[in-house]
């Protein structure tokens, strides 16, 4: 998938069912595959403070941090409150608005758009299945690699079981409201490690917390000190 196609695909998350669920902080909400299979989305967890598994991610973050697909901003606001320079990205205006109300710095923008401080981020996050953004993990991983500073890392959440699929999905709620179709991907730990290796990443660490699976990836062949991000991204400043 080309980057423009990946950008267009992300608009599925701006569909009304997703916006309504994020605005009220609760589901039920699902991704529906074209064959009818449903994946429940954890809206309540996304809208709550970070849980124990989230905190294993937060402890591994070195600023400045770019949270890609930040949703309602629980990780952004937690890092900002701790004084870590952080910026969230999301294509959903409802998610961006909720993050802003919580005091987080956030842009309503795709990861494939031009971004501030490209090549200077210390950590990038792809939590909550966001390795699926755009339906092409290889394009996404290559893009994130270009965003990081020398010595930077990507912390990515894999599917909790072994899976490697590229699918067409749409967002639906329990009332029959639905968004448009868009491409998505799901990668378990082995598939994510393989995609990482094919796009210039090395797996530094794997861990499991509360049934969730995570990988820490380093850009192979890059080393050196992290560059500092302007302080405007600290503490939720905009």
């Amino acid at each position: 998938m080309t980057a423009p196609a990946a950008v267009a695909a992300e608009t599925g998350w701006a569909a009304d069912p997703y916006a309504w669920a994020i605005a009220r902080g609760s589901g039920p909400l699902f991704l529906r595959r074209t064959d009818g299979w449903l994946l429940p989305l954890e809206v309540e967890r996304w809208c709550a403070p970070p849980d124990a598994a989230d905190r294993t991610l937060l402890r591994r973050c070195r600023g400045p941090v770019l949270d890609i697909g930040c949703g309602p901003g629980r990780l952004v606001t937690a890092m900002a409150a701790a004084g870590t320079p952080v910026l969230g990205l999301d294509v959903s205006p409802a998610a961006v608005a909720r993050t802003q109300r919580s005091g987080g710095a956030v842009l309503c923008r795709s990861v494939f758009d031009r971004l501030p401080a490209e090549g200077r981020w210390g950590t990038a996050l792809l939590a909550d299945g966001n390795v699926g953004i755009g339906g092409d993990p290889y394009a996404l991983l290559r893009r994130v690699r270009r965003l990081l500073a020398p010595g930077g890392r990507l912390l990515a959440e894999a599917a909790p079981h072994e899976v490697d699929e590229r699918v067409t999905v749409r967002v639906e709620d329990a009332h029959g409201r639905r968004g448009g179709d868009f491409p998505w991907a799901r990668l378990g730990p082995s598939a994510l490690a393989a995609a990482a290796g094919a796009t210039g990443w090395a797996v530094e660490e794997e861990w499991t917390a509360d049934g969730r699976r995570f990988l820490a990836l380093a850009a192979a062949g890059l080393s050196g000190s992290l560059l500092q991000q302007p302080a405007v991204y600290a503490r939720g400043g905009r």
Side-chain angles (χ1 to χ4, degrees), residues 11 18 39 44 51 59 72 77 81 90 98 131 143 147 150 170 177 189 204 209 221-223 227 229:
T11 60
Y18 179 76
L39 174 68
E44 289 84 0
D51 60 18
R59 288 195 295 269
T77 54
D90 208 282
R98 188 169 179 128
V131 293
R143 171 58 175 154
L147 296 174
R170 63 174 178 257
R177 292 179 291 231
E204 285 193 335
L222 294 181
S223 61
L227 301 176
Q229 174 72 1

Side-chain angles (χ1 to χ4, degrees), residues 151-236:
R153 295 200 304 172
L154 168 60
L155 304 179
E157 182 171 355
H161 53 279
E162 295 298 350
V163 62
D164 186 1
E165 64 178 13
R166 317 293 183 266
V167 293
T168 298
V169 296
R170 63 174 178 257
V171 182
E172 290 189 4
D173 66 16
H175 304 287
R177 292 179 291 231
R178 61 185 62 179
D181 289 351
F182 61 98
W184 194 247
R186 297 174 64 237
L187 277 69
S190 295
L192 178 53
T199 52
W201 297 89
V203 177
E204 285 193 335
E205 183 184 8
E206 297 186 43
W207 75 98
T208 300
D210 289 344
R212 293 165 63 191
R213 307 285 294 275
F214 303 95
L215 280 74
L217 307 176
L222 294 181
S223 61
S225 300
L226 298 183
L227 301 176
Q228 291 303 307
Q229 174 72 1
V232 67
Y233 297 119
R235 300 176 182 84

